[in-house]
Amino acid sequence: MPQSPPESSPTRQVERIREILVGRQLNQVEQRLARLEGTLRPMPLGSGAPAPGGLDFNDSLTTLRDEIDAEKLRQMEETRRLAHQIQTISRQRREVADEARQAVVAELKPGFDRWQEGFMSYLAIRENKLRYDVEQAIGELRERVPEQRFPFEEKVRGALAKFAGAAHELCEALNPDEDA
C-alpha cells in the first residue's frame, strides 16, 4: 500500500516539534487529569459537605492546578536546558571547524611556499635566458646589417634596455623576498 507523501507545511512541522518536546509530558498530565476526574464525583450544589471518598472539590482543583503548574515549570526548564545544549554544540562545532581549517592551512602552507620559491626561481632563470637571447639576437643583427643601414640602433638599444629593465622589475615585484 503506497504511503502518502509527508506534509511539509510549517504548521505540521511545528506540530511535530511540539509532539517531540512536549508529547510525553502532555500524555502524563492528561492521564493524571483523567485519574483525578475519575475520582471526583458531582457535588450537590449549595452544599459545603465534602464529596464521598474524602476529597473536597476545591482541594482537587488546587492539586490539579499545582500539578499543571509544576509540569509547565518542568517543561520550561527542559526547554532552557535543550536551548543551552544546542548553543553549546553549535559553539563546539564552530571551534572544531576553525581548528580543522587552521590544521589544513598549516599542512598546506609549506608546500605552497616551496612552490612559490620554485616558481620565482624559474622566473629568474627565464628572465636571464630571455636577456641572453635578446643580446644574441642584437649581436647577430649587428653582424648582418652594416652600420650605415641601421641608423636607429641607439633607439632600439634603449628600447630593448627599457624592456629588459621592465622584465627585471616584474620579476622583483613578484618575488619581494629577494630584495632583503
Side-chain angles (χ1 to χ4, degrees):
M1 179 167 146
Q3 294 183 353
S4 63
E7 289 186 37
S8 60
S9 71
T11 306
R12 179 63 185 145
Q13 291 174 353
V14 169
E15 184 64 26
R16 288 208 17 92
I17 292 171
R18 187 192 67 76
E19 287 175 7
I20 290 170
L21 293 176
V22 183
R24 291 183 183 151
Q25 294 82 14
L26 189 59
N27 288 339
Q28 291 172 352
V29 169
E30 288 173 351
Q31 288 173 357
R32 288 179 193 161
L33 182 60
R35 191 174 61 243
L36 286 173
E37 286 176 347
T39 60
L40 293 177
R41 294 196 177 93
M43 296 178 56
L45 293 177
S47 169
L55 286 179
D56 182 49
F57 179 74
N58 289 332
D59 289 342
S60 297
L61 188 58
T62 303
T63 303
L64 180 60
R65 283 184 185 152
D66 290 345
E67 287 178 4
I68 290 173
D69 289 342
E71 184 61 28
K72 281 182 186 178
L73 183 62
R74 193 191 68 70
Q75 287 178 1
M76 288 174 43
E77 287 300 318
E78 181 67 14
T79 303
R80 283 189 197 116
R81 186 189 66 78
L82 288 172
H84 178 70
Q85 188 175 9
I86 289 169
Q87 289 173 346
T88 301
I89 290 170
S90 175
R91 185 174 36 256
Q92 288 171 345
R93 285 189 178 176
R94 267 182 285 167
E95 290 170 358
V96 167
D98 288 344
E99 289 173 3
R101 183 186 54 76
Q102 290 172 354
V104 167
V105 167
E107 181 78 22
L108 295 178
K109 188 172 182 342
F112 282 122
D113 289 344
R114 284 191 305 272
W115 176 83
Q116 184 180 15
E117 289 172 10
F119 185 68
M120 296 311 292
S121 174
Y122 167 78
L123 288 178
I125 291 169
R126 185 73 181 147
E127 177 190 6
N128 289 334
K129 170 97 171 82
L130 288 173
R131 185 179 287 173
Y132 175 78
D133 289 347
V134 168
E135 289 174 359
Q136 289 293 4
I138 290 174
E140 289 176 13
L141 283 175
R142 272 194 202 140
E143 292 173 4
R144 289 187 190 163
V145 178
E147 189 84 25
Q148 309 130 7
R149 294 189 68 204
F150 198 60
F152 302 111
E153 180 178 348
E154 289 302 318
K155 288 183 181 178
V156 171
R157 188 181 297 256
L160 289 175
K162 287 180 183 178
F163 177 72
H168 183 70
E169 288 178 17
L170 176 63
C171 185
E172 287 179 356
L174 290 174
N175 191 11
D177 295 337
E178 283 189 8
D179 292 339

